[in-house]
DNA sequence: TAGATTGTTAATCGATTAACAATC
DNA sequence: TAGATTGTTAATCGATTAACAATC
């Protein structure tokens, strides 16, 4: 399992994209696939695809390629998607609920088991089958579980104090949807979804094109 | 304005993050800021920050730094955030509506003027003040406007056909929230928000840590 | 065998980082 | 002036791409 470690981020991201194509192909009944074919479909360099795949540790067959089942397994294993990753949703606003209702995450092994909010009108309710607790219950509930992922979707104004509570609850992984900087100890992994970053890439390219023309 | 062109993607993304900090500092009444300070707050290399800022074309003052107003202007101008970017929301599911209700995008110059869906029960309704039209009206409505951004949040199964309609409507920029590959002509800019990519980075790091320990 | 694909090694490219001169 | 910061040039690093041998 040592090769699961240390796959570069760009490769991890592409592997997640390949997986989409591969599961789709499997549903169509395809049994064997070559990195050349994946590269074509994904608009990527074939050597790059081959290197990405090699990071997962699978060995292919020259002239044929890879058994699609084995390749899917190998990628899922590298991404840690074949075991269940238990998650707490922190903040049940519209973005939080959208994430909660997103069925695709089941494929990634992500399973929301509880949600948290400060709004007393929401506490006790269920969204998509997941019960909302008051945020003050977080440390107590988290203490029974390990390897939890905190999915953070609170208002920016309370980001730091919420993160502090998450850290106190001994949760070591935060998937952050809040556009706000906050401090965490070194052993806590944070992965950010910052929509404005992505929008910046788009709008700056639009501006670039206007100048070109 | 020539320097607005060709800023590398990593720099554009960081500039969007700096902007958050800077607007926050401005609200606090700060008037001058150094790249050294930004670097500290952002946990980045100071040279990197200085280079990012240089891409925006602003010139600083040795020993002091930058006037915060000028710096904000310069970054916003580089990202094309100081002019209004008109947008159509295509697909009004929970994710689409969450994006629509996200006030922060106003700072980025993004303005949703219409929404589209196939669901006849939604057509004619308004979400956050934006009217929902039937998707078939897209080409006609788009024909009156230029430089539109299509924000795509439809079910994966109809992604390609919806994109085809967007392309037919002569829209050249797509902000895509749908985890599905689709083909576009070369002159159409696509920027993807793929949550599963980000999740892959997080879960693979969690797996890496487990092995370390 | 011939040919397509894998796997590997080397070359290139671009972004990051280091070093340092210029400036107020 | 002294010192902090900017701006620039060079060195490093890592990812991508190219070339090619190994394999079925």
């Amino acid at each position: 399992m040592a090769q699961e470690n240390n796959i570069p981020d760009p490769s991890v991201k592409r592997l997640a994209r390949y997986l989409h194509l591969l599961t789709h192909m499997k549903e169509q009944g395809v049994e064997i696939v070559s990195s050349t074919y994946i590269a074509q479909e994904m608009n990527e360099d074939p050597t790059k695809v081959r290197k990405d795949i090699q990071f997962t540790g699978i060995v292919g067959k020259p002239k044929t390629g890879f058994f699609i089942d084995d390749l899917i397994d190998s990628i899922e294993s590298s991404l840690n998607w074949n075991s269940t990753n238990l998650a707490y949703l922190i903040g049940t606003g519209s973005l939080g609920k959208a994430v909660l209702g997103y069925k695709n995450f089941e494929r990634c092994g992500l399973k929301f088991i509880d949600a948290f909010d400060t709004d007393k009108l929401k506490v006790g309710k269920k969204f998509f089958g997941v019960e909302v607790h008051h945020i003050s219950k977080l440390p107590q509930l988290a203490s029974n579980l390990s390897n939890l992922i905190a999915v953070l979707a609170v208002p920016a104004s309370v980001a730091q104090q919420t993160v502090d509570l998450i850290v106190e609850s001994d949760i070591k992984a935060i998937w952050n949807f809040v556009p706000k900087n906050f401090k965490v100890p070194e052993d806590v992994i944070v992965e950010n979804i910052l929509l404005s970053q992505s929008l910046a890439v788009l709008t700056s390219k639009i501006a670039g094109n206007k100048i070109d023309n």
Side-chain angles (χ1 to χ4, degrees), chain A:
Chain A
M1 303 269 269
Q3 69 271 38
E4 286 189 9
N5 216 344
N6 280 46
I7 303 179
D9 283 1
S11 292
V12 167
K13 288 180 186 173
R14 284 192 299 267
L15 285 168
R17 291 209 297 129
Y18 304 161
L19 202 50
H20 252 285
L21 173 67
L22 293 170
T23 49
H24 182 72
M25 287 172 70
K26 189 188 166 177
E27 281 164 16
Q28 306 283 312
V30 179
E31 291 183 352
I32 286 173
V33 65
S34 73
S35 54
T36 320
Y37 180 82
I38 296 173
Q40 261 173 16
E41 285 296 304
M42 289 282 147
N43 238 330
E44 294 280 3
D45 181 273
T47 310
K48 205 197 284 179
V49 174
R50 234 172 297 142
K51 252 198 174 161
D52 291 339
I53 289 175
Q54 277 174 46
F55 281 122
T56 73
I58 196 174
V59 174
K61 252 195 195 157
K63 193 174 171 180
T64 48
F66 302 84
F67 290 109
I68 206 162
D69 286 340
D70 295 348
L71 186 52
I72 289 173
D73 270 5
S74 186
I75 294 176
E76 284 184 342
S77 158
S78 296
L79 302 180
N80 198 27
W81 282 6
N82 52 3
S83 54
T84 303
N85 296 293
L86 298 180
Y88 281 171
L89 175 67
I90 321 282
T92 59
S94 58
L95 185 58
K97 274 189 284 187
V99 172
L100 196 61
Y102 205 54
K103 300 288 174 203
N104 293 41
F105 291 148
E106 286 167 23
R107 285 191 186 174
C108 312
L110 194 74
K111 189 176 169 62
F112 287 97
I113 49 171
D114 281 304
F116 296 86
D117 208 297
T118 54
D119 186 345
K120 280 169 187 163
L121 293 173
K122 286 179 172 175
V123 171
K125 276 194 179 177
K126 283 192 176 189
F127 296 123
F128 300 99
V130 176
E131 190 177 344
V132 182
H133 305 269
H134 193 267
I135 185 75
S136 59
K137 295 276 179 65
L138 178 62
Q140 186 200 329
L141 281 165
S143 65
N144 304 314
L145 297 160
S146 58
N147 291 317
L148 278 166
I149 296 174
V151 179
L152 190 67
V154 298
S157 54
V158 296
Q160 183 66 61
Q161 68 194 71
T162 310
V163 167
D164 291 344
L165 193 64
I166 290 167
V167 170
E168 278 172 39
S169 306
D170 214 35
I171 295 174
K172 301 296 187 192
I174 299 176
W175 196 18
N176 172 42
F177 286 75
V178 185
K180 178 89 185 174
N181 282 302
F182 48 79
K183 312 272 182 190
V184 292
E186 272 193 10
D187 64 335
V188 175
I189 304 167
V190 179
E191 171 66 22
N192 296 300
I193 293 275
L194 295 176
L195 300 183
S196 58
Q197 279 193 354
S198 169
L199 184 59
V201 173
L202 183 66
T203 54
S204 69
K205 277 180 188 161
I206 292 172
N209 271 19
K210 276 187 213 158
I211 291 158
D212 287 346
N213 299 339

